[in-house]
Amino acid sequence: MSIDHSNLTWSKPAADRLEWLRTRYPADKQRALILPVLHMAQREFGWVSPSVIDFVAAAIPVPTIQVEEVACFYTMYNRKPIGRWHLQVCHNISCSLMGAEIVLEHIEGKLGIKRGETTPDGEFTLMGAECLGSCGTAPMMQVNDHYYENLGLSDVDELLETLRATADIADDEANVAHGPGSGPSRKLPQDGEAHTAGSGVVLPGHAAGGH
Amino acid sequence: MSDQVTLTIDGKEVTVPRGTKVIEAAKQVGVEIPHFCYHPGLPVDGNCRMCIADVRTWNARAEKHFPARRPAVTCWTDAEENMQVFTDTDEVKKSRATVMEFLLINHPIDCPICDKAGECMLQDHYMQHDGKRSELREEKIHKPRLKPFGERIVYNGERCILCSRCTRFTAHVSKTHDLGIVNRGDRAVVELAQGSTFDNAYTDNVSDICPVGALTKTDFRFKKRVWFLKHTDSVCGGCSRNCNTVVDHDRAEIVRIMPRRRDEVNGHFMCNEGRDIYKSLAATVRTSAPISRVDELGAGPSWDDALAWAGGKLGEQKKGGKLAVIGSPWMSNEEALVLGHLAGKVCKSAWMDIKNDVIEGYPADDLLHTDDHNPNRAGVIAAGVVPGKKDGKDLAAIQEAIAAGEVEVLLVWGTGLANHYDSVEAMHEAVAKVPVVIQLTDAMDALSEVAQLVLPVRNWAERDGTWTNFEGHTSRFRKALRPHGQARDGFELLSAMCTAAGGKPPVKTFKDARKKLKQDPDSDVREVADGEFAFYKGQSLYRHHSGTTEV
């Protein structure tokens, strides 16, 4: 699913949300909008391309270079196009102790790509990630906005098959959220909609969203 | 609360306005706190941590100084009443050494091939505050080393210490937002904004303020080791702003022009066009000796003969009143004083004005450029070459009188008379009706092709003088280069012409001229550029390393 970045426009909800975001910051501090608007743009347009940076800079408005500085600093902004499914395997201490490297190598072998790469069919992008705050259920990975925990290699195989077979992200999001994996998956609260995240399955004793 | 606060810095008491940063207060008592990212012409950032000192605040209720929990960043800390600052304790020295060690982790230390070597803050601070061998065994991080930022600047990411001076310059001074720091940690580099060509008029300043050799100028790269340069205070004549400059020269050749701090004139910066002015200076066609087109003098007269002849022609006009004098906004105030006297008092000239020597240049902007591309119109008028002084007989009247054949002697300073005619031919046709045209000039132009007498004078780089800018601030420029051929100093030549014309010069010496013009002593202000140490200016490397500083 590639989005044409040559002529970007906000969807109606995004445009509304931008106006709402503006009211959260003083008029002379609109620069603070860069983070939330970039997140929103990434969700809208798939990845943060140079055109998206220009578009966001003009929308706020701030000088382009300020948006570039922010977009380069944080790893959660994808500066390259990513596949339909973005697999982020945590390889920080707890997950490493529990075999994250094995999980990563297994996925690499299975998909035929190295970490940081995307499969030629555009289905999967694999990345190693630093701590995602789910140490108690290591090893784990994040697929798009969802956590899959207590991973075993057979779970991973099953998950990849399910993901590949899942036709459309938007339609099947609920389905995927309760997809395979020995542990329950949690939906990450989106910025600005944390109040709705309670409907997901949250383990007792875990902070919602893993923060 | 009082507007002033008094504090002690290394035991020296100093009173400064409230809100002054400690680092600035320290300068006033001669304590130079080492720093990289701080620059008085830019917003404070406080990222390099080099300017740390032991800062103890006064607690009025407890009536004692609070011991500092950790060293404070003096560029960020406001001076407070009764504050105690220690910049030389063992703890502070150790902190500085640690900062230096950190900054040098990935610095290539390629000083032998770096243009900044010799005027590099990193190099100097290393010598003064660190001096250790590297303990690092890992390979250094590699980054782009030859990245052009526009036409005039080349970026070396490995040398860069990420002080953000350049990005703050483009964000807050030029307001062009060209540069930013992208990526993070040891991968961070300065990057050109996407779509930016970095071609504004002030780009070279980022190289001046770069504390290391990360941003070098294409115009200066590999041209000269800085310790061979001699530095002469000068003033830029590119427009009526009169940016104070330092002319860096070696062997009768100007190698570069750098801005000199003068808060009320140009602040800390100058434009690219002003830096390039030495190229046009070098390209001018000049004459090394007087040229004559009159039979009694011959083609190449001696100065004595030329002066006597010119003086005679001018002296004849005392009664006739058919002398027209056209001055130039490139004259110094002192020269204008003598020319005004020669024309008005000695020769009783009927017509007087100033022409537009240079009519093309960079358009005016909000920062430094003005729309007058000549330096000293205001000063020349104030010094006595007043347009239409006598009965409003200004340049238009002079042109009419020339056309009507009423002008007997035309005395012109400098070039560009043709700017006031439709074409060079029209100018030639007009001045052909004047029996005696005398041109005093530092460059040959269309008028020099026909004038009866061309007397070479020294240009701004070869003589002393002052210019007054459009806001009334006077700045002094000094002789940097040996004069071309027999070119004479304008002040001295005009004074000699007063005598040759049978009069007396208005003042005896250059100093008297300045006194008579009641020049503001600030015109001699000589401040070094910020971020640079005093010993860079006019000091040899040897003296620098022997620790002699000029404060």
Side-chain angles (χ1 to χ4, degrees):
Chain A
M1 182 185 60
S2 71
I3 295 164
D4 178 19
H5 282 199
S6 62
N7 190 16
L8 297 166
T9 46
W10 295 117
S11 65
K12 178 74 172 78
D16 292 345
R17 187 173 152 75
L18 174 60
E19 290 315 307
W20 173 74
L21 282 168
R22 281 189 205 286
T23 63
R24 291 175 55 186
Y25 306 102
D28 61 333
K29 304 244 175 358
Q30 293 284 300
R31 198 168 72 151
L33 282 167
I34 296 174
L35 282 173
V37 176
L38 268 175
H39 272 302
M40 198 165 80
Q42 177 158 296
R43 235 171 285 143
E44 289 267 296
F45 310 122
W47 63 291
V48 181
S49 65
S51 321
V52 168
I53 287 177
D54 279 341
F55 181 69
V56 167
I60 294 178
V62 286
T64 312
I65 187 67
Q66 290 185 359
V67 181
E68 274 182 80
E69 287 178 324
V70 170
C72 294
F73 189 88
Y74 296 102
T75 51
M76 281 170 71
Y77 297 121
N78 302 313
R79 302 263 285 148
K80 282 188 284 186
I82 54 161
R84 200 160 64 97
W85 301 108
H86 188 195
L87 315 177
Q88 296 181 77
V89 182
C90 172
H91 57 182
N92 219 290
I93 294 173
S94 300
C95 287
S96 282
L97 289 171
M98 297 300 285
E101 288 300 322
I102 299 169
V103 172
L104 264 166
E105 277 164 28
H106 179 75
I107 300 176
E108 282 178 346
K110 187 116 178 132
L111 299 178
I113 52 172
K114 295 274 170 213
R115 54 199 83 173
E117 292 176 354
T118 302
T119 51
D121 59 5
E123 284 288 298
F124 297 101
T125 298
L126 176 64
M127 281 180 189
E130 299 307 332
C131 187
L132 292 167
S134 199
C135 306
T137 51
M140 62 78 67
M141 72 164 134
Q142 183 182 336
V143 180
N144 290 0
D145 288 339
H146 303 100
Y147 277 15
Y148 294 88
E149 297 159 313
N150 292 325
L151 295 172
L153 294 187
S154 58
D155 298 331
V156 172
D157 290 346
E158 203 181 322
L159 174 61
L160 293 181
E161 289 311 313
T162 313
L163 292 173
R164 207 187 284 279
T166 306
D168 188 283
I169 297 177
D171 290 352
D172 294 296
E173 203 147 285
N175 181 30
V176 174
H178 300 286
S182 52
S185 77
R186 289 185 276 122
K187 189 177 189 301
L188 279 177
Q190 293 296 317
D191 179 29
E193 55 176 66
H195 54 286
T196 65
S199 58
V201 184
V202 180
L203 284 178
H206 282 244
H211 293 299
Chain B
M1 275 209 290
S2 153
D3 289 342
Q4 301 280 318
V5 292
T6 303
L7 65 160
T8 59
I9 296 168
D10 289 348
K12 294 170 192 163
E13 197 173 283
V14 59
T15 303
V16 292
R18 189 174 292 282
T20 305
K21 303 296 180 192
V22 171
I23 196 169
E24 282 293 324
K27 270 185 199 169
Q28 297 191 12
V29 283
V31 175
E32 188 129 30
I33 299 178
H35 57 274
F36 292 107
C37 73
Y38 173 74
H39 189 287
L42 300 172
V44 174
D45 205 48
N47 67 53
C48 76
R49 316 315 271 186
M50 190 65 186
C51 68
I52 41 168
D54 184 353
V55 176
R56 300 177 182 191
T57 50
W58 174 253
N59 186 305
R61 197 179 297 164
E63 294 200 337
K64 64 175 184 185
H65 284 98
F66 274 158
R69 270 173 294 181
R70 55 182 170 271
V73 184
T74 57
C75 72
W76 187 270
T77 309
D78 283 352
E80 287 174 18
E81 187 64 32
N82 234 341
M83 191 181 246
Q84 282 182 339
V85 181
F86 302 96
T87 70
D88 220 19
T89 65
D90 286 345
E91 191 197 2
V92 169
K93 285 181 187 165
K94 201 175 149 198
S95 296
R96 279 181 198 150
T98 316
V99 170
M100 286 307 303
E101 192 176 0
F102 177 67
L103 290 175
L104 288 166
I105 287 176
N106 285 315
H107 189 83
I109 321 186
D110 55 349
C111 311
I113 56 156
C114 177
D115 287 289
K116 201 81 173 189
E119 56 179 11
C120 170
M121 294 173 79
L122 193 64
Q123 202 177 33
D124 291 320
H125 288 339
Y126 172 76
M127 301 304 287
Q128 214 162 345
H129 304 292
D130 185 8
K132 293 199 301 284
R133 288 175 73 96
S134 171
E135 287 169 25
L136 209 78
R137 276 165 294 173
E138 289 83 0
E139 192 176 344
K140 294 185 183 240
I141 300 284
H142 292 293
K143 293 182 184 177
R145 276 178 293 191
L146 197 66
K147 190 165 177 146
F149 284 173
E151 299 267 303
R152 300 180 62 102
I153 297 290
V154 177
Y155 177 63
N156 181 324
E158 295 188 349
R159 291 178 189 159
C160 181
I161 59 166
L162 300 166
C163 69
S164 85
R165 276 182 171 192
C166 55
T167 64
R168 279 177 283 148
F169 179 84
T170 59
H172 301 281
V173 180
S174 72
K175 296 192 171 66
T176 46
H177 302 280
D178 295 296
L179 301 175
I181 293 173
V182 299
N183 301 329
R184 66 179 177 193
D186 59 12
R187 294 180 210 94
V189 284
V190 175
E191 182 64 275
L192 205 56
Q194 58 186 36
S196 165
T197 47
F198 204 41
D199 58 355
N200 70 73
Y202 298 95
T203 56
D204 274 16
N205 289 301
V206 301
S207 171
D208 298 347
I209 60 177
C210 181
V212 297
L215 295 164
T216 46
K217 297 170 203 159
T218 49
D219 192 41
F220 186 66
R221 281 168 67 82
F222 309 121
K223 219 160 127 184
K224 194 73 79 177
R225 302 303 340 208
V226 297
W227 48 87
F228 292 125
L229 296 174
K230 289 162 204 72
H231 314 282
T232 304
D233 286 3
S234 191
V235 179
C236 177
C239 77
S240 59
R241 173 74 59 184
N242 292 3
C243 289
N244 286 210
T245 61
V246 176
V247 167
D248 287 352
H249 50 101
D250 183 38
R251 297 169 201 211
E253 183 192 25
I254 298 177
V255 184
R256 65 174 181 185
I257 296 177
M258 302 277 275
R260 176 161 55 101
R261 181 177 177 181
R262 179 86 186 278
D263 287 344
E264 67 273 30
V265 176
N266 58 310
H268 305 260
F269 308 114
M270 73 180 292
C271 71
N272 296 346
E273 288 70 28
R275 293 166 196 273
D276 289 346
I277 211 164
Y278 75 91
K279 293 178 196 164
S280 54
L281 193 73
T284 50
V285 180
R286 302 184 65 177
T287 172
S288 52
I291 298 172
S292 109
R293 292 189 180 83
V294 286
D295 293 339
E296 54 251 68
L297 283 174
S302 71
W303 264 109
D304 285 348
D305 292 349
L307 207 51
W309 183 84
K313 291 292 173 196
L314 291 169
E316 284 170 17
Q317 294 306 313
K318 276 185 212 171
K319 289 189 189 95
K322 297 209 168 164
L323 167 67
V325 173
I326 303 178
S328 156
W330 283 78
M331 303 177 82
S332 72
N333 293 330
E334 297 73 24
E335 287 155 358
L337 176 75
V338 186
L339 181 67
H341 179 86
L342 173 67
K345 294 269 163 56
V346 178
C347 303
K348 311 276 192 293
S349 155
W351 298 276
M352 194 195 293
D353 205 341
I354 306 166
K355 62 187 155 42
N356 256 335
D357 291 34
V358 182
I359 49 172
E360 279 176 2
Y362 218 80
D365 60 28
D366 296 340
L367 201 49
L368 294 172
H369 285 136
T370 69
D371 50 12
D372 183 355
H373 309 296
N374 304 286
N376 196 29
R377 189 176 306 276
V380 169
I381 294 170
V385 182
V386 183
K389 191 177 185 180
K390 196 172 179 186
D391 312 326
K393 290 184 175 170
D394 59 4
L395 195 56
I398 294 173
Q399 286 176 282
E400 275 173 35
I402 289 173
E406 292 168 18
V407 175
E408 293 272 329
V409 180
L410 178 63
L411 181 64
V412 180
W413 177 289
T415 59
L417 184 62
N419 294 339
H420 297 275
Y421 286 90
D422 293 339
S423 64
V424 169
E425 291 71 33
M427 187 272 286
H428 280 169
E429 200 179 310
V431 298
K433 293 181 182 156
V434 182
V436 177
V437 178
I438 303 172
Q439 187 190 22
L440 285 66
T441 186
D442 57 5
M444 304 287 273
D445 74 338
L447 184 65
S448 323
E449 293 164 17
V450 295
Q452 273 66 39
L453 187 62
V454 179
L455 299 175
V457 295
R458 298 175 188 178
N459 63 29
W460 56 266
E462 298 168 349
R463 68 184 199 260
D464 271 20
T466 61
W467 283 332
T468 300
N469 81 348
F470 71 113
E471 294 173 323
H473 300 295
T474 300
S475 308
R476 173 110 183 237
F477 55 90
R478 290 164 196 273
K479 177 175 178 288
L481 304 181
R482 259 202 317 272
H484 179 80
Q486 299 174 19
R488 283 175 73 162
D489 179 75
F491 174 79
E492 173 263 332
L493 176 60
L494 286 167
S495 298
M497 282 176 95
C498 285
T499 313
K504 259 171 48 183
V507 286
K508 284 206 177 86
T509 63
F510 181 79
K511 213 171 163 184
D512 292 340
R514 299 199 61 200
K515 220 179 276 173
K516 183 154 185 173
L517 289 164
K518 295 200 178 61
Q519 272 174 7
D520 179 3
D522 274 358
S523 55
D524 270 335
V525 158
R526 189 174 182 288
E527 275 195 75
V528 292
D530 284 291
E532 294 183 26
F533 287 89
F535 47 65
Y536 288 149
K537 298 295 163 203
Q539 303 289 327
S540 72
L541 190 70
Y542 168 74
R543 288 191 66 190
H544 160 191
H545 278 198
S546 67
T548 310
T549 58
E550 170 198 338
V551 176

